[in-house]
Amino acid sequence: MDILALVERIGESPTAALFGLITGLIFGVSAQRSQFCLRAATVEFAHGKGIVGKLGPKVAVWLLTLSTAIVWVQGAQMLGLFRASDARIMAVPGSWSGAIIGGLMFGAGMVLSRGCSGRLLVLASTGNLRSVVSGLIFAVTAQMSLHGILAPYRDRLASLSITPGGENINLLNALHLPSGTGLVLGLAFAALALYLAARHQIGPKTWIFASGVGFSVAVGWVLTWSLAQIAFDPVPVTSATFSGPSANTLMFFLDRGAVLEFDVGLVPGVVLGAFLAAMISGEFRWQSFESVPVMRKSMIGAVLMGFGAMLAGGCAIGNGVTGGSVFAATAWLALLSMWIGAIATTLVFDRQVNPALAC
């Protein structure tokens, strides 16, 4: 792809939005077909009996996505197609306190709302009205936490403990590990994921599409980094995440002064990709809340996710896959906190949930 020619033809902002659309399409199709969901993986882990039960098919799908993202992103960096130090998540200070508190809140919220923010977007695209309501509440809360009435509280919690030096910490560099360690770790995770996939008889279609979710993360990183190298104005080097983009997309349709950017293309791309995948596979169907208590729990969960994601610096995708693929220290801490928050909430409030019905 001749990015320079594309920029000269349509402009930098539309190009960024187009790259977001491409990333979102790959993510949406892959996530819908693989049923990738961190919430489902944590519920399965919480309810599982023994190591085999805890590392079940949902965990395998999640590991396939994470490992694929790490392998592709680290491989792209070794080939000179991307530089992790330029990523937006690495170029700004990270918050240890935000990663822990926000991650715990997000983990609890995604259990209550029956899906993380990315999963809610995919489900909403397949006719799930519960996810539409929860997703809108998530986006509004995220915007309130970013620029609205909740922003001072987020800033106060995030400022409790900040990474030194005015930027985030690369775990590989901090541990003085040799070049290529990231790729080796990704391959190790992939080997474990494929072993689990074979053990639980997960078909090739599922694990291929699960890998596609991780591949979409690498696509976003490479495209935005390539655009940043030739753009006249600064372009954020980013990839798939759904906290900031959900808020930004909402404001794009509410504020006539908003401009096109990667985020604004990403969310519609996921919606379109998941919708087309559901229609082609015959899985599109209208669904709603089963009861008022379920609706109330989902709405509370969406609020917790919205605030928690902005405090943690990203959602389950933004931290757990996108940030994890560049080994941002706060992203891995937030991911661990999300697992802890989700498992604890499952054990306390969701004892009777069938892991197969987690999403």
Side-chain angles (χ1 to χ4, degrees):
M1 179 187 298
D2 190 341
I3 297 179
L4 181 58
L6 182 62
V7 169
E8 291 175 346
R9 180 169 185 150
I10 67 175
E12 293 176 5
S13 293
T15 299
L18 176 61
F19 287 170
L21 182 68
I22 293 171
T23 303
L25 280 169
I26 299 172
F27 183 98
V29 171
S30 300
Q32 196 281 327
R33 297 307 300 136
S34 66
Q35 296 187 339
F36 164 79
C37 179
L38 177 60
R39 194 266 188 181
T42 58
V43 170
E44 180 180 75
F45 189 90
H47 286 294
K49 303 299 182 182
I51 191 65
V52 175
K54 289 187 177 297
L55 299 181
K58 301 294 185 182
V59 173
V61 168
W62 181 81
L63 274 174
L64 279 167
T65 293
L66 175 63
S67 61
T68 304
I70 294 174
V71 169
W72 280 105
V73 171
Q74 294 297 312
Q77 185 167 229
M78 294 178 69
L79 293 173
L81 301 175
F82 167 68
R83 192 163 54 236
S85 58
D86 294 338
R88 180 166 58 184
I89 192 173
M90 301 302 300
V92 298
S95 170
W96 301 117
S97 55
I100 295 172
I101 301 171
L104 290 172
M105 292 179 66
F106 189 95
M110 73 178 180
V111 169
L112 295 176
S113 60
R114 293 173 62 183
C116 72
S117 50
R119 182 61 178 166
L120 290 180
L121 189 60
V122 171
L123 289 175
S125 308
T126 64
N128 192 312
L129 299 179
R130 167 182 57 80
S131 296
V132 172
V133 173
S134 298
L136 286 173
I137 293 174
F138 167 82
V140 170
T141 306
Q143 182 62 28
M144 291 170 62
S145 304
L146 184 62
H147 296 300
I149 192 172
L150 297 177
Y153 303 101
R154 176 184 61 83
D155 291 338
R156 191 176 306 167
L157 291 172
S159 63
L160 292 176
S161 181
I162 302 292
T163 55
E167 58 185 20
N168 212 324
I169 295 175
N170 185 305
L171 283 174
L172 302 179
N173 295 338
L175 296 173
H176 305 290
L177 296 174
S179 175
T181 300
L183 180 60
V184 172
L185 289 173
L187 291 172
F189 282 132
L192 173 60
L194 289 173
Y195 167 76
L196 293 175
R199 186 182 186 94
H200 295 287
Q201 299 182 330
I202 297 175
K205 182 175 68 174
T206 298
W207 58 259
I208 288 173
F209 279 112
S211 301
V213 180
F215 176 69
S216 72
V217 169
V219 169
W221 280 130
V222 171
L223 289 179
T224 56
W225 184 82
S226 300
L227 179 59
Q229 305 312 299
I230 62 171
F232 179 78
D233 294 319
V235 173
V237 179
T238 186
S239 189
T241 182
F242 298 103
S243 48
S246 294
N248 292 338
T249 303
L250 177 65
M251 293 309 298
F252 178 80
F253 291 106
L254 297 178
D255 184 0
R256 295 182 64 180
V259 297
L260 282 170
E261 56 182 335
F262 180 87
D263 289 357
V264 177
L266 176 68
V267 173
V270 173
V271 171
L272 180 59
F275 171 75
L276 291 175
M279 291 297 291
I280 291 173
S281 62
E283 295 180 0
F284 183 92
R285 62 182 184 276
W286 296 110
Q287 301 176 64
S288 187
F289 292 102
E290 296 91 337
S291 64
V292 171
V294 171
M295 181 177 183
R296 181 170 58 246
K297 188 168 68 171
S298 295
M299 294 172 70
I300 293 173
V303 171
L304 288 173
M305 279 201 301
F307 184 79
M310 299 312 297
L311 177 58
C315 62
I317 306 298
N319 274 317
V321 183
T322 300
S325 68
V326 295
F327 289 92
T330 56
W332 282 89
L333 179 59
L335 174 61
L336 174 62
S337 299
M338 289 175 188
W339 272 85
I340 294 173
I343 291 172
T345 304
T346 298
L347 295 176
V348 173
F349 296 105
D350 236 2
R351 294 177 182 275
Q352 303 304 316
V353 171
N354 181 347
L357 302 176
C359 287

